Short mmCIF file of all heavy atoms in Angstrom, two decimals:
data_model
loop_
_atom_site.label_atom_id
_atom_site.label_comp_id
_atom_site.label_asym_id
_atom_site.label_seq_id
_atom_site.Cartn_x
_atom_site.Cartn_y
_atom_site.Cartn_z
N MET A 668 -81.07 48.57 108.69
CA MET A 668 -80.09 49.67 109.03
C MET A 668 -79.74 50.43 107.78
O MET A 668 -79.95 49.93 106.62
CB MET A 668 -78.91 49.09 109.68
CG MET A 668 -78.00 48.14 108.77
SD MET A 668 -76.73 47.37 109.66
CE MET A 668 -75.69 48.78 110.11
N LYS A 669 -79.29 51.65 107.99
CA LYS A 669 -78.94 52.49 106.79
C LYS A 669 -77.40 52.73 106.83
O LYS A 669 -76.80 52.74 107.80
CB LYS A 669 -79.66 53.90 106.99
CG LYS A 669 -81.07 53.81 106.95
CD LYS A 669 -81.64 54.40 105.79
CE LYS A 669 -83.18 54.61 105.93
NZ LYS A 669 -83.95 53.54 105.23
N LEU A 670 -76.92 52.70 105.53
CA LEU A 670 -75.56 52.76 105.37
C LEU A 670 -75.22 53.68 104.12
O LEU A 670 -75.84 53.75 103.14
CB LEU A 670 -75.11 51.39 105.02
CG LEU A 670 -73.81 51.11 104.47
CD1 LEU A 670 -72.76 51.43 105.48
CD2 LEU A 670 -73.60 49.58 104.18
N VAL A 671 -74.32 54.55 104.42
CA VAL A 671 -73.75 55.52 103.34
C VAL A 671 -72.32 55.48 103.35
O VAL A 671 -71.75 55.50 104.35
CB VAL A 671 -74.26 56.94 103.49
CG1 VAL A 671 -73.63 57.85 102.55
CG2 VAL A 671 -75.80 57.02 103.50
N VAL A 672 -71.72 55.37 102.13
CA VAL A 672 -70.26 55.52 102.10
C VAL A 672 -69.97 56.80 101.30
O VAL A 672 -70.59 57.06 100.18
CB VAL A 672 -69.64 54.28 101.28
CG1 VAL A 672 -68.14 54.45 101.06
CG2 VAL A 672 -69.86 52.98 101.99
N ASP A 673 -69.16 57.60 101.94
CA ASP A 673 -68.74 58.81 101.29
C ASP A 673 -67.66 58.47 100.17
O ASP A 673 -66.57 58.31 100.51
CB ASP A 673 -68.10 59.73 102.32
CG ASP A 673 -67.65 61.07 101.71
OD1 ASP A 673 -67.56 61.15 100.46
OD2 ASP A 673 -67.49 62.00 102.47
N LEU A 674 -68.14 58.29 98.96
CA LEU A 674 -67.24 57.72 97.94
C LEU A 674 -66.10 58.79 97.56
O LEU A 674 -65.20 58.42 96.84
CB LEU A 674 -68.07 57.34 96.73
CG LEU A 674 -68.93 56.16 96.96
CD1 LEU A 674 -69.84 55.89 95.74
CD2 LEU A 674 -68.14 54.87 97.28
N SER A 675 -66.33 60.00 98.00
CA SER A 675 -65.28 61.02 97.67
C SER A 675 -64.10 60.84 98.62
O SER A 675 -63.00 61.27 98.34
CB SER A 675 -65.80 62.46 97.79
OG SER A 675 -66.28 62.74 99.18
N ARG A 676 -64.40 60.16 99.80
CA ARG A 676 -63.36 59.85 100.68
C ARG A 676 -62.74 58.43 100.41
O ARG A 676 -61.51 58.13 100.71
CB ARG A 676 -63.84 59.77 102.10
CG ARG A 676 -63.97 61.15 102.68
CD ARG A 676 -64.08 60.99 104.25
NE ARG A 676 -64.95 61.86 104.91
CZ ARG A 676 -65.25 61.84 106.09
NH1 ARG A 676 -64.85 60.89 106.94
NH2 ARG A 676 -66.12 62.69 106.62
N CYS A 677 -63.59 57.55 99.98
CA CYS A 677 -63.09 56.14 99.82
C CYS A 677 -62.06 55.96 98.94
O CYS A 677 -62.02 56.56 97.88
CB CYS A 677 -64.40 55.33 99.42
SG CYS A 677 -63.94 53.68 98.88
N GLN A 678 -60.97 55.26 99.36
CA GLN A 678 -59.84 55.03 98.35
C GLN A 678 -59.72 53.59 97.99
O GLN A 678 -58.68 53.17 97.54
CB GLN A 678 -58.51 55.45 99.20
CG GLN A 678 -58.45 57.02 99.58
CD GLN A 678 -58.21 57.81 98.29
OE1 GLN A 678 -57.45 57.48 97.44
NE2 GLN A 678 -59.03 58.85 98.22
N GLY A 679 -60.75 52.86 98.27
CA GLY A 679 -60.76 51.41 97.77
C GLY A 679 -59.84 50.54 98.50
O GLY A 679 -59.22 49.64 97.90
N TYR A 680 -59.58 50.82 99.76
CA TYR A 680 -58.68 49.87 100.49
C TYR A 680 -59.30 48.48 100.72
O TYR A 680 -58.57 47.55 101.09
CB TYR A 680 -58.25 50.58 101.81
CG TYR A 680 -57.41 51.74 101.70
CD1 TYR A 680 -57.75 52.92 102.48
CD2 TYR A 680 -56.31 51.83 100.87
CE1 TYR A 680 -56.81 54.06 102.27
CE2 TYR A 680 -55.54 52.90 100.66
CZ TYR A 680 -55.82 54.01 101.48
OH TYR A 680 -55.00 55.13 101.22
N ALA A 681 -60.57 48.50 100.61
CA ALA A 681 -61.33 47.18 100.69
C ALA A 681 -61.38 46.53 102.10
O ALA A 681 -61.86 45.36 102.19
CB ALA A 681 -60.70 46.23 99.66
N GLN A 682 -60.99 47.15 103.15
CA GLN A 682 -61.13 46.59 104.45
C GLN A 682 -62.61 46.29 104.71
O GLN A 682 -62.92 45.23 105.30
CB GLN A 682 -60.71 47.49 105.60
CG GLN A 682 -59.27 47.33 105.80
CD GLN A 682 -58.48 48.37 104.99
OE1 GLN A 682 -58.97 48.76 103.96
NE2 GLN A 682 -57.35 48.75 105.54
N CYS A 683 -63.52 47.17 104.30
CA CYS A 683 -64.95 46.84 104.46
C CYS A 683 -65.41 45.69 103.80
O CYS A 683 -66.15 44.86 104.28
CB CYS A 683 -65.74 48.19 104.08
SG CYS A 683 -65.49 48.64 102.37
N ALA A 684 -64.93 45.47 102.63
CA ALA A 684 -65.41 44.33 101.69
C ALA A 684 -64.84 43.01 102.41
O ALA A 684 -65.55 41.98 102.30
CB ALA A 684 -64.85 44.48 100.37
N PHE A 685 -63.78 43.10 103.01
CA PHE A 685 -63.13 41.94 103.67
C PHE A 685 -64.06 41.60 104.99
O PHE A 685 -64.30 40.50 105.28
CB PHE A 685 -61.74 42.21 104.03
CG PHE A 685 -60.97 41.11 104.68
CD1 PHE A 685 -60.69 39.93 104.14
CD2 PHE A 685 -60.80 41.22 106.11
CE1 PHE A 685 -60.11 38.88 104.70
CE2 PHE A 685 -60.13 40.12 106.72
CZ PHE A 685 -59.85 38.99 106.10
N LEU A 686 -64.31 42.64 105.71
CA LEU A 686 -65.02 42.37 107.01
C LEU A 686 -66.56 42.21 106.84
O LEU A 686 -67.17 41.52 107.64
CB LEU A 686 -64.86 43.68 107.92
CG LEU A 686 -63.34 43.71 108.35
CD1 LEU A 686 -63.04 45.07 109.13
CD2 LEU A 686 -63.08 42.65 109.34
N ALA A 687 -67.14 42.74 105.74
CA ALA A 687 -68.60 42.55 105.68
C ALA A 687 -68.93 42.38 104.13
O ALA A 687 -69.54 43.26 103.53
CB ALA A 687 -69.30 43.91 106.19
N PRO A 688 -68.62 41.26 103.65
CA PRO A 688 -68.73 40.99 102.22
C PRO A 688 -70.09 41.01 101.68
O PRO A 688 -70.32 41.29 100.54
CB PRO A 688 -67.98 39.76 102.01
CG PRO A 688 -67.96 39.03 103.40
CD PRO A 688 -67.91 40.11 104.40
N ASP A 689 -71.13 40.86 102.65
CA ASP A 689 -72.54 40.88 102.12
C ASP A 689 -72.95 42.36 101.92
O ASP A 689 -73.98 42.59 101.13
CB ASP A 689 -73.38 40.19 103.11
CG ASP A 689 -73.16 38.71 103.06
OD1 ASP A 689 -72.76 38.21 102.09
OD2 ASP A 689 -73.47 38.03 104.10
N ALA A 690 -72.28 43.23 102.59
CA ALA A 690 -72.75 44.66 102.41
C ALA A 690 -71.86 45.45 101.48
O ALA A 690 -72.26 46.37 100.79
CB ALA A 690 -72.75 45.39 103.83
N PHE A 691 -70.59 45.11 101.44
CA PHE A 691 -69.53 45.85 100.58
C PHE A 691 -68.93 44.94 99.55
O PHE A 691 -68.59 43.74 99.94
CB PHE A 691 -68.45 46.46 101.46
CG PHE A 691 -68.98 47.28 102.60
CD1 PHE A 691 -69.18 46.76 103.86
CD2 PHE A 691 -69.28 48.63 102.33
CE1 PHE A 691 -69.60 47.61 104.86
CE2 PHE A 691 -69.78 49.52 103.39
CZ PHE A 691 -69.94 48.95 104.60
N ARG A 692 -68.72 45.38 98.43
CA ARG A 692 -68.07 44.55 97.35
C ARG A 692 -67.21 45.47 96.55
O ARG A 692 -67.67 46.58 96.13
CB ARG A 692 -69.12 43.89 96.61
CG ARG A 692 -68.64 42.80 95.63
CD ARG A 692 -69.80 41.83 95.20
NE ARG A 692 -70.37 41.35 96.41
CZ ARG A 692 -71.68 40.88 96.40
NH1 ARG A 692 -72.30 40.83 95.23
NH2 ARG A 692 -72.21 40.40 97.51
N MET A 693 -66.05 44.92 96.29
CA MET A 693 -65.14 45.74 95.38
C MET A 693 -65.56 45.31 93.92
O MET A 693 -65.69 44.23 93.61
CB MET A 693 -63.69 45.48 95.59
CG MET A 693 -63.15 45.84 97.04
SD MET A 693 -63.68 47.53 97.51
CE MET A 693 -62.57 48.51 96.32
N HIS A 694 -65.60 46.33 93.09
CA HIS A 694 -65.85 46.15 91.74
C HIS A 694 -64.64 46.68 90.85
O HIS A 694 -64.44 47.86 90.93
CB HIS A 694 -67.10 47.01 91.42
CG HIS A 694 -67.65 46.67 89.98
ND1 HIS A 694 -68.25 45.63 89.62
CD2 HIS A 694 -67.59 47.37 88.82
CE1 HIS A 694 -68.67 45.64 88.40
NE2 HIS A 694 -68.20 46.69 87.88
N GLY A 695 -63.90 45.74 90.45
CA GLY A 695 -62.64 46.19 89.78
C GLY A 695 -61.59 46.47 90.89
O GLY A 695 -61.66 46.09 92.05
N GLU A 696 -60.65 47.32 90.57
CA GLU A 696 -59.53 47.63 91.47
C GLU A 696 -59.96 48.60 92.56
O GLU A 696 -59.58 48.33 93.70
CB GLU A 696 -58.38 48.38 90.62
CG GLU A 696 -57.75 47.39 89.67
CD GLU A 696 -56.52 46.66 90.32
OE1 GLU A 696 -55.67 47.39 90.81
OE2 GLU A 696 -56.42 45.50 90.21
N GLU A 697 -60.71 49.59 92.37
CA GLU A 697 -60.89 50.65 93.36
C GLU A 697 -62.41 51.01 93.55
O GLU A 697 -62.74 51.65 94.48
CB GLU A 697 -60.22 51.94 92.89
CG GLU A 697 -58.68 51.80 93.03
CD GLU A 697 -58.00 53.14 92.92
OE1 GLU A 697 -58.68 54.11 92.55
OE2 GLU A 697 -56.85 53.23 93.10
N ALA A 698 -63.31 50.58 92.73
CA ALA A 698 -64.62 50.95 92.79
C ALA A 698 -65.35 50.16 93.82
O ALA A 698 -65.36 48.94 93.82
CB ALA A 698 -65.39 50.88 91.42
N LEU A 699 -66.06 50.81 94.81
CA LEU A 699 -66.74 50.05 95.88
C LEU A 699 -68.20 50.01 95.55
O LEU A 699 -68.80 51.17 95.24
CB LEU A 699 -66.44 50.81 97.21
CG LEU A 699 -67.25 50.26 98.40
CD1 LEU A 699 -66.74 48.83 98.79
CD2 LEU A 699 -67.21 51.17 99.55
N MET A 700 -68.78 48.94 95.70
CA MET A 700 -70.25 48.85 95.58
C MET A 700 -70.78 48.56 96.90
O MET A 700 -70.02 47.76 97.68
CB MET A 700 -70.73 47.72 94.58
CG MET A 700 -69.99 47.67 93.35
SD MET A 700 -70.72 48.50 92.01
CE MET A 700 -72.28 47.60 91.82
N TYR A 701 -71.91 48.96 97.40
CA TYR A 701 -72.40 48.73 98.69
C TYR A 701 -73.90 48.65 98.72
O TYR A 701 -74.64 49.28 97.94
CB TYR A 701 -71.85 49.62 99.72
CG TYR A 701 -72.32 51.04 99.70
CD1 TYR A 701 -73.44 51.49 100.47
CD2 TYR A 701 -71.79 51.91 98.77
CE1 TYR A 701 -73.85 52.84 100.29
CE2 TYR A 701 -72.21 53.29 98.69
CZ TYR A 701 -73.22 53.64 99.48
OH TYR A 701 -73.82 54.94 99.41
N ASP A 702 -74.44 47.93 99.78
CA ASP A 702 -75.87 47.80 99.94
C ASP A 702 -76.27 48.96 100.94
O ASP A 702 -75.87 48.95 102.08
CB ASP A 702 -76.16 46.42 100.52
CG ASP A 702 -77.60 46.24 100.85
OD1 ASP A 702 -78.36 47.26 100.68
OD2 ASP A 702 -77.97 45.13 101.23
N PRO A 703 -77.05 49.94 100.56
CA PRO A 703 -77.38 51.01 101.46
C PRO A 703 -78.36 50.69 102.44
O PRO A 703 -78.60 51.34 103.48
CB PRO A 703 -78.05 52.14 100.42
CG PRO A 703 -78.48 51.31 99.30
CD PRO A 703 -77.57 50.05 99.15
N ASN A 704 -79.01 49.45 102.36
CA ASN A 704 -79.98 49.03 103.44
C ASN A 704 -79.71 47.48 103.81
O ASN A 704 -80.48 46.67 103.58
CB ASN A 704 -81.36 49.09 102.87
CG ASN A 704 -81.81 50.55 102.63
OD1 ASN A 704 -81.81 50.95 101.48
ND2 ASN A 704 -82.16 51.23 103.69
N PRO A 705 -78.55 47.27 104.38
CA PRO A 705 -78.25 45.94 104.75
C PRO A 705 -79.17 45.43 105.81
O PRO A 705 -79.63 46.30 106.59
CB PRO A 705 -76.67 46.05 105.21
CG PRO A 705 -76.48 47.42 105.54
CD PRO A 705 -77.34 48.22 104.73
N ASP A 706 -79.33 44.16 105.88
CA ASP A 706 -80.19 43.54 106.87
C ASP A 706 -79.56 43.82 108.27
O ASP A 706 -78.39 43.92 108.37
CB ASP A 706 -80.24 42.11 106.59
CG ASP A 706 -81.36 41.37 107.42
OD1 ASP A 706 -81.14 41.01 108.58
OD2 ASP A 706 -82.39 41.25 106.87
N ASP A 707 -80.39 44.00 109.24
CA ASP A 707 -79.90 44.16 110.63
C ASP A 707 -79.13 43.01 111.10
O ASP A 707 -78.25 43.18 111.98
CB ASP A 707 -81.16 44.44 111.60
CG ASP A 707 -81.52 45.84 111.67
OD1 ASP A 707 -80.76 46.70 111.25
OD2 ASP A 707 -82.57 46.20 112.25
N ALA A 708 -79.20 41.89 110.54
CA ALA A 708 -78.35 40.72 110.95
C ALA A 708 -76.94 41.07 110.58
O ALA A 708 -76.01 40.39 111.26
CB ALA A 708 -78.86 39.53 110.20
N GLN A 709 -76.66 41.94 109.74
CA GLN A 709 -75.26 42.25 109.45
C GLN A 709 -74.74 43.45 110.19
O GLN A 709 -73.58 43.85 109.97
CB GLN A 709 -75.28 42.63 107.91
CG GLN A 709 -75.61 41.54 107.02
CD GLN A 709 -75.44 41.96 105.52
OE1 GLN A 709 -74.35 42.50 105.18
NE2 GLN A 709 -76.52 41.80 104.79
N ARG A 710 -75.48 43.91 111.09
CA ARG A 710 -75.09 45.14 111.82
C ARG A 710 -73.73 45.04 112.43
O ARG A 710 -72.90 46.01 112.18
CB ARG A 710 -76.11 45.51 112.91
CG ARG A 710 -75.70 46.52 113.84
CD ARG A 710 -76.79 46.92 114.82
NE ARG A 710 -77.89 47.68 114.09
CZ ARG A 710 -78.04 48.90 113.81
NH1 ARG A 710 -76.98 49.70 114.27
NH2 ARG A 710 -78.99 49.53 113.16
N GLU A 711 -73.42 43.95 113.06
CA GLU A 711 -72.12 43.93 113.75
C GLU A 711 -71.00 43.93 112.80
O GLU A 711 -70.00 44.66 112.95
CB GLU A 711 -72.14 42.69 114.61
CG GLU A 711 -71.10 42.72 115.68
CD GLU A 711 -71.44 41.73 116.84
OE1 GLU A 711 -72.60 41.78 117.33
OE2 GLU A 711 -70.53 41.01 117.22
N ARG A 712 -71.21 43.24 111.66
CA ARG A 712 -70.10 43.22 110.73
C ARG A 712 -69.93 44.67 110.05
O ARG A 712 -68.84 45.04 109.74
CB ARG A 712 -70.42 42.14 109.58
CG ARG A 712 -70.13 40.81 109.96
CD ARG A 712 -70.25 39.80 108.83
NE ARG A 712 -70.91 38.59 109.17
CZ ARG A 712 -71.36 37.76 108.45
NH1 ARG A 712 -71.46 37.97 107.11
NH2 ARG A 712 -71.97 36.73 108.90
N VAL A 713 -71.10 45.15 109.75
CA VAL A 713 -71.03 46.50 109.21
C VAL A 713 -70.42 47.49 110.08
O VAL A 713 -69.55 48.39 109.64
CB VAL A 713 -72.42 47.00 108.65
CG1 VAL A 713 -72.36 48.50 108.34
CG2 VAL A 713 -73.00 46.17 107.57
N LEU A 714 -70.69 47.49 111.35
CA LEU A 714 -70.05 48.37 112.30
C LEU A 714 -68.54 48.13 112.41
O LEU A 714 -67.82 49.07 112.50
CB LEU A 714 -70.72 48.22 113.62
CG LEU A 714 -72.17 48.73 113.85
CD1 LEU A 714 -72.71 48.54 115.17
CD2 LEU A 714 -72.26 50.26 113.50
N ARG A 715 -68.17 46.88 112.43
CA ARG A 715 -66.73 46.51 112.40
C ARG A 715 -66.05 47.17 111.19
O ARG A 715 -64.99 47.71 111.21
CB ARG A 715 -66.59 45.09 112.44
CG ARG A 715 -65.64 44.62 113.57
CD ARG A 715 -65.57 43.13 113.61
NE ARG A 715 -66.70 42.53 114.32
CZ ARG A 715 -67.06 41.24 114.29
NH1 ARG A 715 -66.37 40.42 113.53
NH2 ARG A 715 -68.06 40.78 114.93
N ALA A 716 -66.73 47.02 110.05
CA ALA A 716 -66.19 47.44 108.78
C ALA A 716 -66.08 49.02 108.83
O ALA A 716 -65.06 49.59 108.47
CB ALA A 716 -67.11 47.03 107.49
N ALA A 717 -67.04 49.69 109.35
CA ALA A 717 -67.02 51.07 109.48
C ALA A 717 -65.90 51.59 110.43
O ALA A 717 -65.13 52.51 110.08
CB ALA A 717 -68.40 51.66 110.03
N ALA A 718 -65.67 50.79 111.39
CA ALA A 718 -64.59 51.18 112.41
C ALA A 718 -63.25 50.91 111.69
O ALA A 718 -62.24 51.57 112.04
CB ALA A 718 -64.82 50.37 113.68
N ALA A 719 -63.24 49.90 110.83
CA ALA A 719 -61.93 49.51 110.22
C ALA A 719 -61.54 50.51 109.07
O ALA A 719 -60.34 50.52 108.64
CB ALA A 719 -61.94 48.12 109.81
N CYS A 720 -62.40 51.14 108.52
CA CYS A 720 -62.16 51.99 107.32
C CYS A 720 -61.17 52.98 107.75
O CYS A 720 -61.45 53.92 108.53
CB CYS A 720 -63.44 52.58 106.84
SG CYS A 720 -63.11 53.82 105.45
N PRO A 721 -60.05 53.05 107.05
CA PRO A 721 -58.89 54.01 107.36
C PRO A 721 -59.37 55.45 107.12
O PRO A 721 -58.72 56.35 107.68
CB PRO A 721 -57.76 53.58 106.67
CG PRO A 721 -58.30 52.71 105.52
CD PRO A 721 -59.63 52.17 106.04
N LEU A 722 -60.30 55.68 106.30
CA LEU A 722 -60.80 57.02 105.98
C LEU A 722 -62.06 57.44 106.57
O LEU A 722 -62.53 58.53 106.32
CB LEU A 722 -60.76 57.12 104.41
CG LEU A 722 -59.42 56.90 103.79
CD1 LEU A 722 -59.62 56.57 102.35
CD2 LEU A 722 -58.45 58.02 104.03
N GLN A 723 -62.58 56.55 107.46
CA GLN A 723 -63.83 56.81 108.14
C GLN A 723 -64.90 57.29 107.07
O GLN A 723 -65.61 58.17 107.28
CB GLN A 723 -63.68 57.90 109.18
CG GLN A 723 -62.62 57.52 110.27
CD GLN A 723 -63.20 56.41 111.12
OE1 GLN A 723 -64.12 56.54 111.87
NE2 GLN A 723 -62.53 55.24 110.98
N ALA A 724 -64.91 56.56 106.02
CA ALA A 724 -65.85 56.87 104.94
C ALA A 724 -67.26 56.31 105.01
O ALA A 724 -68.14 56.65 104.32
CB ALA A 724 -65.21 56.56 103.59
N ILE A 725 -67.37 55.42 106.03
CA ILE A 725 -68.58 54.68 106.23
C ILE A 725 -69.46 55.18 107.24
O ILE A 725 -68.97 55.37 108.35
CB ILE A 725 -68.32 53.16 106.46
CG1 ILE A 725 -67.51 52.49 105.40
CG2 ILE A 725 -69.59 52.48 106.67
CD1 ILE A 725 -67.02 51.17 105.69
N LEU A 726 -70.58 55.72 106.90
CA LEU A 726 -71.54 56.27 107.92
C LEU A 726 -72.74 55.38 108.01
O LEU A 726 -73.38 54.92 107.14
CB LEU A 726 -72.09 57.58 107.39
CG LEU A 726 -71.05 58.58 107.01
CD1 LEU A 726 -71.63 59.93 106.39
CD2 LEU A 726 -70.15 59.03 108.17
N VAL A 727 -72.97 54.91 109.28
CA VAL A 727 -74.00 53.94 109.70
C VAL A 727 -75.12 54.71 110.37
O VAL A 727 -74.78 55.43 111.46
CB VAL A 727 -73.45 52.85 110.45
CG1 VAL A 727 -74.54 51.87 110.81
CG2 VAL A 727 -72.38 52.11 109.65
N ASP A 728 -76.31 54.54 110.01
CA ASP A 728 -77.47 55.07 110.67
C ASP A 728 -77.36 56.57 110.97
O ASP A 728 -77.87 57.06 111.94
CB ASP A 728 -77.75 54.31 111.95
CG ASP A 728 -78.24 52.85 111.72
OD1 ASP A 728 -78.76 52.71 110.61
OD2 ASP A 728 -78.23 52.07 112.63
N GLN A 729 -76.62 57.31 110.13
CA GLN A 729 -76.62 58.79 110.35
C GLN A 729 -77.35 59.48 109.22
O GLN A 729 -77.17 60.73 109.07
CB GLN A 729 -75.10 59.14 110.22
CG GLN A 729 -74.30 58.71 111.40
CD GLN A 729 -72.95 59.19 111.38
OE1 GLN A 729 -72.57 60.13 110.69
NE2 GLN A 729 -72.01 58.58 112.15
N VAL A 730 -78.10 58.77 108.54
CA VAL A 730 -78.91 59.36 107.49
C VAL A 730 -80.47 59.57 108.00
O VAL A 730 -81.24 60.05 107.15
CB VAL A 730 -78.91 58.59 106.17
CG1 VAL A 730 -77.54 58.90 105.56
CG2 VAL A 730 -79.09 57.20 106.44
N GLU A 731 -80.79 59.23 109.16
CA GLU A 731 -82.07 59.50 109.66
C GLU A 731 -82.44 60.93 109.54
O GLU A 731 -81.58 61.73 109.86
CB GLU A 731 -82.24 59.04 111.16
CG GLU A 731 -81.98 57.55 111.35
CD GLU A 731 -82.89 56.62 110.72
OE1 GLU A 731 -84.15 56.97 110.47
OE2 GLU A 731 -82.51 55.57 110.27
N GLY A 732 -83.59 61.31 109.10
CA GLY A 732 -83.89 62.76 109.02
C GLY A 732 -83.61 63.27 107.65
O GLY A 732 -84.50 63.89 107.06
N GLN A 733 -82.47 62.83 107.05
CA GLN A 733 -82.20 63.36 105.73
C GLN A 733 -83.19 62.88 104.69
O GLN A 733 -83.49 63.58 103.75
CB GLN A 733 -80.79 63.06 105.26
CG GLN A 733 -79.74 63.81 105.92
CD GLN A 733 -78.33 63.46 105.39
OE1 GLN A 733 -78.24 62.70 104.38
NE2 GLN A 733 -77.41 63.81 106.17
N GLY A 734 -83.65 61.61 104.87
CA GLY A 734 -84.59 60.99 103.97
C GLY A 734 -86.04 61.20 104.40
O GLY A 734 -86.91 60.70 103.81
N ALA A 735 -86.26 62.02 105.49
CA ALA A 735 -87.68 62.17 106.01
C ALA A 735 -88.40 63.04 105.03
O ALA A 735 -87.87 63.88 104.34
CB ALA A 735 -87.58 62.82 107.37
N PRO A 736 -89.70 62.67 104.84
CA PRO A 736 -90.46 63.44 103.92
C PRO A 736 -90.41 64.96 104.28
O PRO A 736 -90.48 65.24 105.53
CB PRO A 736 -91.85 62.84 104.08
CG PRO A 736 -91.66 61.56 104.84
CD PRO A 736 -90.36 61.65 105.61
N VAL A 737 -90.38 65.75 103.36
CA VAL A 737 -90.44 67.20 103.63
C VAL A 737 -91.84 67.72 103.54
O VAL A 737 -92.63 67.41 102.63
CB VAL A 737 -89.48 67.94 102.58
CG1 VAL A 737 -89.56 69.35 102.77
CG2 VAL A 737 -88.08 67.46 102.65
N GLY A 738 -92.08 68.59 104.47
CA GLY A 738 -93.37 69.26 104.39
C GLY A 738 -94.57 68.52 104.92
O GLY A 738 -95.74 68.84 104.70
N THR A 739 -94.30 67.42 105.77
CA THR A 739 -95.42 66.62 106.19
C THR A 739 -96.22 67.29 107.32
O THR A 739 -97.34 66.93 107.53
CB THR A 739 -94.94 65.26 106.75
OG1 THR A 739 -93.93 65.59 107.70
CG2 THR A 739 -94.37 64.38 105.65
N SER A 740 -95.59 68.32 107.89
CA SER A 740 -96.38 69.08 109.02
C SER A 740 -97.27 70.13 108.33
O SER A 740 -98.07 70.75 109.12
CB SER A 740 -95.45 69.69 109.97
OG SER A 740 -94.62 70.64 109.23
N ARG A 741 -97.23 70.34 107.05
CA ARG A 741 -98.12 71.24 106.51
C ARG A 741 -99.59 70.86 106.54
O ARG A 741 -99.83 69.69 106.33
CB ARG A 741 -97.75 71.53 105.03
CG ARG A 741 -96.57 72.52 104.92
CD ARG A 741 -96.37 72.85 103.38
NE ARG A 741 -94.98 73.25 103.21
CZ ARG A 741 -94.35 73.07 102.13
NH1 ARG A 741 -94.81 72.50 101.11
NH2 ARG A 741 -93.02 73.42 101.99
N SER A 742 -100.45 71.80 106.69
CA SER A 742 -101.88 71.35 106.78
C SER A 742 -102.49 71.40 105.39
O SER A 742 -101.91 71.89 104.45
CB SER A 742 -102.65 72.23 107.73
OG SER A 742 -102.40 73.58 107.36
S1 SF4 B 914 -62.60 50.43 103.89
FE1 SF4 B 914 -63.21 52.67 103.58
S2 SF4 B 914 -61.68 53.23 102.04
FE2 SF4 B 914 -61.65 51.04 102.04
S3 SF4 B 914 -63.15 50.44 100.40
FE3 SF4 B 914 -64.23 50.50 102.37
S4 SF4 B 914 -65.15 52.52 102.49
FE4 SF4 B 914 -63.59 52.64 101.00
#
């Protein structure tokens, strides 16, 4: 699965790190580190963490297309 955290929104409340510690980790007081490609086995925890984020800063599986190769339809 794909995961993006909008770090400009994230205020380091750490709910995500509490709910899905394998995908999110606090580094120091406020800096959030995260795994952008967590294993699908973590999906439920990650979704719970995304729902719990008070700032809705966690985006799950919303990056499809953005990372798609550009210009593949050219001949
Ligand atoms: S729960 Fe949201 S605001 Fe808190 S650390 Fe995680 S992403 Fe940031």
